[in-house]
Amino acid sequence: MVEGIIFILKGIILTEVFTHAARVWGIFESPRSFLKVRSSFLRGLLDCFDCTSVWVAFFTVSYLLYFEWPLFTYALIFHWFARFSHTLYDLLDAHRAVKEKEV
């Protein structure tokens, strides 16, 4: 039961990380540009977050079931939490700045 919940949570976080990587990370800019020029289907796929995440979820499940490398998995999960906490901090800081201007 607990293993199933952990599998699902890892899958959700990794799907988001892999989708974000495929669509945004600069290191993938060249392959992304190449694919977008070659295929209108792939262009549409990469331009739509939901579309990309569906196909990335298939990759993520395969990765977790057949060839998971725990060091890589947990590094990506830690990255996701760090990015999430940084975004939350930025939002709180912006909110504080707005409140200070109102006073």
Side-chain angles (χ1 to χ4, degrees):
M1 174 76 171
V2 173
E3 292 90 13
I5 293 171
I6 291 171
F7 180 86
I8 290 170
L9 291 175
K10 285 193 313 187
I12 291 168
I13 293 170
L14 288 175
T15 297
E16 200 282 330
V17 169
F18 290 144
T19 302
H20 186 76
R23 295 190 69 235
V24 178
W25 287 4
I27 195 169
F28 296 115
E29 182 60 38
S30 292
R32 191 169 47 245
S33 296
F34 177 79
L35 293 173
K36 283 183 171 186
V37 169
R38 300 280 184 226
S39 168
S40 61
F41 171 75
L42 292 175
R43 183 181 324 113
L45 180 70
L46 289 169
D47 287 343
C48 168
F49 183 87
D50 288 337
C51 302
T52 306
S53 69
V54 168
W55 296 104
V56 167
F58 284 107
F59 166 78
T60 302
V61 171
S62 298
Y63 167 75
L64 289 173
L65 288 176
Y66 301 115
F67 56 97
E68 180 181 11
W69 183 29
L71 177 65
F72 183 66
T73 298
Y74 289 108
L76 289 176
I77 290 172
F78 289 167
H79 156 73
W80 182 82
F81 276 108
R83 189 170 55 87
F84 179 78
S85 64
H86 180 75
T87 301
L88 183 60
Y89 176 80
D90 284 348
L91 289 171
L92 292 172
D93 195 43
H95 179 71
R96 180 193 52 79
V98 167
K99 289 292 183 182
E100 285 180 359
K101 284 184 180 181
E102 291 176 355
V103 175

